[in-house]
Amino acid sequence: MYRVLIVDDEPMILKGLTVFLQQSGVSIASIRSASNGEGALAAIREELPDFVFTDIRMPVMDGLALCAQIAEMDQKIQTVVISGYDDFTYAQTCISYGVKEYLLKPISKRDLQDTLRKLIQRAEAAKPASAYLSVAKMDEWMAEIEQAVYYMNQEQVTQLLQAWEQEIATYHMQDEQRIEMLQEFHVLLMKKLKARDVNIELRPLLELKQGMPFHTVYKQFTGSIQDTLDSLYRRRKGKLKDPIEEVKMYIEQNLGSEVSLEEAADLLGLHPNYFSVMFKQMTGETFVQYRTKRRMEYAKRMLGEERYRITDISYAVGYADHSNFTKTFKKYEGISPSEYRQKMGI
């Protein structure tokens, strides 16, 4: 998509060119305007245009001075001079500033379209041979969106999708190339999410039709991501917490029950094997190690209160077999529950 800047002190010229550009059929990202050369330079510093259409006679800074300034920037900006018949010979001096095209007033829609065609041909010819995103960039994007979707970070997902659409537009690709790239990315993302075994409904493919514009396909893509988020949200019963923290809280609330790895995985809608690996990666402990640690820490707090019998404490932390509790506590603390109490003076 191309960025265009129109520079003219006549409002009717600005409005007419804007309408012609909008009706040209060319993919245009933005059309901005300025009433003189100084305003144009400020606009160029804000956003580098691909094409500048400028009048010659303007107040403050005329078109000739603007062309000279643009030439000094050494940027890939194609400049088109707009002139009246009386200015045409004068305007030819702009050749030294890299001006290749002229539009004579009054400007017709056909004249503008012919000029745009030439500008685009030059722009396409100057583009690098490789127009695809690098593998490293694709991997970076994949990691970002996969993490954001899995942890249901709606704000980050929205920001990423908006930023990507803008960035993809800067790559020198035809819509067909962008769509092909996006489709491949979508398929790979769905596979990666499925590999996490979140048991959610995923769209395997985007619904493409012949000649469909990229922005329509990108809208499908964002819709698919949102559907995945919604499905994951429902699967987790509307809870937007970090999955690991949610499991930790569940363990804490059920220390007296035999909370299994399978039960915790089901709470999150995950396959037990995947959940086991994820838990170890995120905490540095296995699920059983963490559950045992929390039970023993709670048992120590109860042992510090004389009103609790050791057998009661055993049941309170999920051990129906008192001897099993004693064995586990001694393995964890190095001494038996009764010795722990003696050490505390109880």
Side-chain angles (χ1 to χ4, degrees):
M1 298 178 73
Y2 300 97
R3 296 177 290 272
V4 181
L5 174 62
I6 309 170
V7 192
D8 201 301
D9 61 337
E10 296 183 46
M12 291 302 295
I13 296 292
L14 291 175
K15 184 175 181 180
L17 278 175
T18 299
V19 172
F20 283 171
L21 285 166
Q22 290 171 338
Q23 297 175 348
S24 67
V26 173
S27 296
I28 295 176
S30 66
I31 301 174
R32 292 174 303 139
S33 62
S35 59
N36 57 61
E38 282 193 359
L41 290 175
I44 290 171
R45 283 190 287 270
E46 289 177 6
E47 181 184 68
L48 200 66
D50 298 291
F51 311 138
V52 173
F53 293 79
T54 180
D55 191 14
I56 288 291
R57 296 175 184 250
M58 295 180 295
V60 185
M61 178 187 288
D62 63 20
L64 189 61
L66 174 61
C67 290
Q69 291 279 350
I70 291 175
E72 290 179 3
M73 292 180 185
D74 193 27
Q75 297 286 348
K76 293 180 180 180
I77 301 174
Q78 295 193 64
T79 307
V80 179
V81 167
I82 303 170
S83 68
Y85 286 103
D86 294 339
D87 298 326
F88 187 68
T89 302
Y90 175 65
Q92 286 180 316
T93 58
C94 293
I95 293 175
S96 61
Y97 302 135
V99 176
K100 297 288 194 338
E101 300 296 329
Y102 299 89
L103 280 173
L104 297 179
K105 297 178 182 179
I107 303 167
S108 69
K109 184 185 292 187
R110 183 170 182 176
D111 289 338
L112 179 65
Q113 289 178 335
D114 288 343
T115 300
L116 273 175
R117 178 177 49 79
K118 294 176 184 178
L119 295 175
I120 292 171
Q121 285 176 347
R122 289 197 192 95
E124 292 295 324
K127 289 175 182 177
S130 176
Y132 286 92
L133 276 72
S134 68
V135 173
K137 174 61 87 173
M138 291 283 280
D139 287 345
E140 178 187 338
W141 286 7
M142 186 67 67
E144 288 176 342
I145 194 67
E146 184 188 0
Q147 189 81 349
V149 169
Y150 181 70
Y151 287 106
M152 298 188 299
N153 190 330
Q154 178 69 71
E155 183 179 357
Q156 186 181 11
V157 169
T158 301
Q159 290 175 349
L160 285 171
L161 292 173
Q162 290 175 347
W164 293 354
E165 185 173 23
Q166 293 174 4
E167 183 170 344
I168 291 171
T170 67
Y171 286 85
H172 301 306
M173 301 179 184
Q174 298 296 327
D175 265 10
E176 293 81 2
Q177 293 173 308
R178 291 190 176 96
I179 290 171
E180 181 182 352
M181 176 206 70
L182 191 64
Q183 188 176 26
E184 291 176 359
F185 186 90
H186 180 263
V187 169
L188 184 56
L189 175 61
M190 294 299 108
K191 286 182 177 178
K192 282 183 171 289
L193 288 170
K194 196 65 178 177
R196 287 183 179 243
D197 213 341
V198 292
N199 297 321
I200 54 177
E201 297 178 6
L202 303 172
R203 289 187 190 175
L205 293 172
L206 299 177
E207 298 174 4
L208 304 181
K209 295 180 181 179
Q210 187 68 29
M212 185 177 285
F214 173 74
H215 68 84
T216 301
V217 179
Y218 199 84
K219 190 174 180 180
Q220 280 191 30
F221 176 71
T222 58
S224 175
I225 299 300
Q226 189 60 56
D227 286 349
T228 303
L229 273 171
D230 293 344
S231 179
L232 189 54
Y233 181 84
R234 290 191 300 270
R235 177 67 181 174
R236 293 179 183 169
K237 302 174 179 61
K239 299 173 183 176
L240 289 173
K241 300 173 185 176
D242 181 303
I244 298 300
E245 291 304 315
E246 188 175 349
V247 168
K248 287 181 178 180
M249 174 121 8
Y250 187 74
I251 291 172
E252 208 70 26
Q253 293 170 346
N254 295 276
L255 289 174
S257 304
E258 188 61 33
V259 177
S260 66
L261 184 143
E262 288 74 18
E263 183 180 347
D266 185 65
L267 178 71
L268 301 180
L270 300 176
H271 189 281
N273 291 342
Y274 177 77
F275 169 71
S276 177
V277 173
M278 182 184 73
F279 193 93
K280 178 69 181 292
Q281 289 176 342
M282 299 295 287
T283 66
E285 301 173 291
T286 67
F287 174 81
V288 173
Q289 286 172 339
Y290 180 83
R291 184 190 61 189
T292 301
K293 180 181 74 174
R294 296 310 304 152
R295 283 175 164 179
M296 295 303 104
E297 289 299 316
Y298 186 56
K300 285 166 62 177
R301 291 199 301 272
M302 293 186 73
L303 285 167
E305 298 185 40
E306 191 173 359
R307 59 194 175 103
Y308 292 119
R309 295 183 305 169
I310 292 178
T311 51
D312 294 333
I313 296 172
S314 174
Y315 282 112
V317 294
Y319 290 88
D321 185 342
H322 173 65
S323 62
N324 191 22
F325 166 67
T326 300
K327 182 180 178 181
T328 303
F329 187 91
K330 189 170 184 178
K331 183 178 180 181
Y332 179 80
E333 193 64 25
I335 54 178
S336 69
S338 57
E339 290 171 332
Y340 182 81
R341 272 194 158 168
Q342 292 172 5
K343 187 177 178 181
M344 294 182 69
I346 297 175

